Amino acid sequence: MSAIVPLPTSDPSASRGDAVGSVKQQLSKIFKASLQATFPNEQDVEPLVSVSTAKFGDYQCNNAMGMWSKIKGKSTEFSNPNSIGQALVKNLPASEIIESTSVAKAGFINIILSNAWIAKHIERMLLNGIETWAPIIPVKRAVVDFSSPNIAKEMHVGHLRSTIIGDTLARMLEFSNVEVLRRNHVGDWGTQFGMLIEYLFEMSPNGEDAGQQAIGDLQDFYKASKKKFDEDASFKEKAQKAVVRLQGGELKYRNAWKEICEISRREFAQVYQRLGVHLEEKGESFYNPYIPDTIRELDDKGLIVESDGARVIFIEGQQIPLIVVKSDGGYGYASTDLTAIRYRLREEKAEWIIYLTDVGQQNHFDMVFCAARRASWLPESVGSSFPKASHVGFGLVLGADGKRFRTRSSEVVRLVDLLDEAKNRCRKELEQRLENHGKLGEWTGQELEKTAEAVGYGAVKYADLKNNRLTNYTFSFDQMLNDKGNTAVYLLYAHARICSIIRKSNRDLEELKKGGGISLSHADERILGLHLVRFAEVVEEACLNLLPNVLCEYLYNLSETFTRFYTSCQVIGSAEESSRLLLCEATAVVMRQCFELLGIEPVYKI
């Protein structure tokens, strides 16, 4: 895997604790020094270091060809890309990381890492903690806007992807020492509240029971109020007046609105609690007071024009403009989203604002970002420079029939029900497995429940995250709860098996860590060690490209690599037992950190 985004080669690690950056970043620093020594007049050239896919090295530096194109025809000591590659190798500063280099005919520099350095790098991580392997990325504060359900509507499987993907991106950024503002931009404002409030008053005329008792099931309440709104002209008129009274701040209407919002929050909390997701709510209503100032600034900058009675911003290449003030004087999504991005940049000082919604909203956000650039809130250039805003789109969740995932009655599936079913299926399969092996009596009810939750909820998350988020994916309990193949169940059980190996050794791991002594003399030991030390750059790539599936792929490959190592290298009772137990422990530590970043609870015994 090679990152799409160029890596920062400056050294911000001084302010990031003990983190030393990824192997790729450390090699980039070394080759940056060589480039500057070889081409003193070309100071802006960045090193192009990537993981090698060929058998000639672990990494490669690919600058020679580009530099040859740059200097060819000028007065130069170099005759071809190969001669540039040779010079870059000659000018490399001394480093314990690199064992050897070789230059291919086309000038590509193959790099083999030192076994001693790989071993020492792993030993230091075991002593000082996995946090020392956190990647260093050039952002200090980010906003991640995810989940964002609508008040008074049930959270359904459509919210699953935003919640799960957003939480993982937030976790990866937090691990990378970025301050993350986790924002739940709930739909808690708008014309639908007039309908809901008016219906609540009809159901509870005295207003004394204007709460959970009067509303009952929120989803049914919403449907009933919508039906009346569509069919009863008198009710519709009252609902429209209720919106005005709510927006005007009338106490009775405000209190009813707050009650409806609170009931919804309690529903959402059940989902977030199961998923282990933490968010801070700043919904549409939060930004409402700031909208007039935002519109005034956009107007002063000449971005807003009148069109068919509305006030809009035309975006180049788009047929339909952004409507900032509707013809009736009301505000819409564009007004709120422009206000939110302005607030996040100016008040919250965010350097990176990341929005999680389905791919269908990509165009809307492209237009919002374009308007923000025209207003000079964001830099004009679109790319890797900060501050910036990114839309993280994702595909649909499909059923076995290839259509949008629904229940048999064609209702959208409630998220709480779906998660509970995953847990219950998992518990049933776990009890059966333990009974088959005569181990059921060794487990308490609490252990069974906790493991079923970890594996069940983890299976739902991983089934989503392992796919490229842009694609649709088919929701299948049978597939996600399979204990073979690329599933959370397989990976969690693989981790538990590693923990079991360590327990069976009866060795004191803390004492072993202090002694160090990892050896990578066997080919499969080295392959495992190399895969482990690449962890930081994988997290970095997943972060910068906003692709959690990159981390899932790494985790699955790590498990497979460990299996090959364990098959060919005896651990307990071998002459290399201490070294190999440390490799087992390092694998378990990295797997646990992967689980943590994916929001999955690890399992220690099966």
Side-chain angles (χ1 to χ4, degrees), residues 465-565:
L465 294 167
K466 74 176 181 180
N467 299 290
N468 185 309
R469 57 177 167 75
L470 293 169
T471 61
N472 298 337
Y473 90 96
T474 301
F475 191 97
S476 164
F477 280 122
D478 289 341
Q479 285 178 20
M480 67 177 61
L481 296 175
N482 195 331
D483 61 0
K484 294 177 180 63
N486 190 7
T487 68
V489 183
Y490 166 76
L491 293 165
L492 286 165
Y493 287 177
H495 169 261
R497 280 190 288 274
I498 296 171
C499 294
S500 174
I501 294 163
I502 295 167
R503 280 195 301 270
K504 284 176 182 172
S505 73
N506 290 318
R507 299 287 297 276
D508 185 335
L509 256 291
E510 294 311 308
E511 286 303 314
L512 282 181
K513 286 177 193 177
K514 289 174 192 169
I518 291 177
S519 166
L520 303 174
S521 50
H522 191 286
D524 287 326
E525 290 173 322
R526 188 183 193 280
I527 291 167
L528 178 59
L530 183 62
H531 195 84
L532 287 168
V533 300
R534 285 177 174 165
F535 169 73
E537 65 210 41
V538 169
V539 177
E540 178 184 31
E541 180 186 346
C543 262
L544 294 179
N545 296 324
L546 304 167
L547 291 170
N549 62 295
V550 169
L551 182 62
C552 293
E553 184 184 349
Y554 170 86
L555 174 58
Y556 179 66
N557 288 338
L558 174 58
S559 180
E560 296 287 275
T561 302
F562 178 84
T563 299
R564 283 195 296 276
F565 152 78

Side-chain angles (χ1 to χ4, degrees), residues 154-164 271 394-399 403-407 411-416 418-419 460 464 473 475 480:
E154 191 79 54
M155 273 185 89
H156 55 74
V157 75
H159 295 108
L160 186 68
R161 300 206 78 181
S162 176
T163 306
I164 289 173
V271 173
F394 48 83
L396 297 172
V397 182
L398 305 177
K403 295 177 183 174
R404 193 188 286 262
F405 189 50
R406 295 179 185 275
T407 62
E411 291 288 329
V412 177
V413 179
R414 291 174 77 239
L415 207 38
V416 169
L418 182 140
L419 292 168
V460 173
D464 187 324
Y473 90 96
F475 191 97
M480 67 177 61

Side-chain angles (χ1 to χ4, degrees), residues 181-407:
L181 308 181
R182 293 160 160 260
R183 293 290 178 254
N184 199 2
H185 190 90
V186 296
D188 66 349
W189 201 247
T191 53
Q192 79 271 25
F193 280 96
M195 169 186 88
L196 293 164
I197 290 167
E198 200 56 45
Y199 192 69
L200 176 58
F201 289 158
E202 288 201 0
M203 298 292 288
S204 179
N206 299 325
E208 292 168 2
D209 298 320
Q212 184 76 63
Q213 191 177 346
I215 291 170
D217 184 272
L218 205 54
Q219 194 75 345
D220 292 342
F221 182 82
Y222 187 92
K223 285 179 190 169
S225 63
K226 181 75 170 75
K227 186 172 186 290
K228 183 147 191 178
F229 184 85
D230 292 340
E231 295 173 359
D232 185 333
S234 167
F235 176 79
K236 185 174 184 177
E237 189 181 340
K238 283 194 225 170
Q240 288 165 339
K241 286 178 181 172
V243 175
V244 177
R245 296 174 84 169
L246 169 65
Q247 293 179 344
E250 204 168 312
L251 190 60
K252 178 182 173 184
Y253 290 82
R254 277 277 177 167
N255 287 341
W257 169 74
K258 284 179 182 174
E259 187 61 49
I260 292 168
C261 289
E262 192 50 46
I263 293 166
S264 257
R265 285 189 195 104
R266 289 199 288 269
E267 300 258 339
F268 300 158
Q270 293 179 43
V271 173
Y272 297 141
Q273 183 268 326
R274 284 163 172 77
L275 291 173
V277 170
H278 304 283
L279 290 129
E280 183 184 351
E281 186 183 305
K282 269 197 168 77
E284 291 171 359
S285 63
F286 175 84
Y287 299 103
N288 208 53
Y290 301 96
I291 291 177
D293 268 354
T294 302
I295 291 171
R296 198 174 298 117
E297 181 181 339
L298 292 168
D299 206 10
D300 290 346
K301 289 180 174 177
L303 270 67
I304 297 176
V305 297
E306 300 282 335
S307 177
D308 296 329
R311 304 183 69 198
V312 306
I313 299 174
F314 282 99
I315 305 293
E316 190 179 345
Q318 301 286 346
Q319 290 183 321
I320 300 170
L322 276 175
I323 300 171
V324 291
V325 183
K326 295 186 281 190
S327 56
D328 64 2
Y331 305 132
Y333 289 121
S335 331
T336 307
D337 287 335
L338 285 164
T339 302
I341 200 169
R342 178 177 180 255
Y343 182 90
R344 289 161 175 178
L345 289 163
R346 289 204 180 153
E347 304 302 322
E348 296 182 322
K349 311 293 184 195
E351 294 167 277
W352 198 2
I353 308 171
I354 300 164
Y355 295 83
L356 279 288
T357 74
D358 64 80
V359 288
Q361 294 188 50
Q362 177 77 56
N363 195 55
H364 166 75
F365 281 102
D366 284 348
M367 292 171 74
V368 169
F369 300 160
C370 184
R373 285 193 294 274
R374 286 178 58 194
S376 301
W377 301 340
L378 287 171
E380 281 187 32
S381 62
V382 183
S384 56
S385 60
F386 297 95
K388 69 176 179 179
S390 303
H391 177 254
V392 177
F394 48 83
L396 297 172
V397 182
L398 305 177
D401 57 0
K403 295 177 183 174
R404 193 188 286 262
F405 189 50
R406 295 179 185 275
T407 62

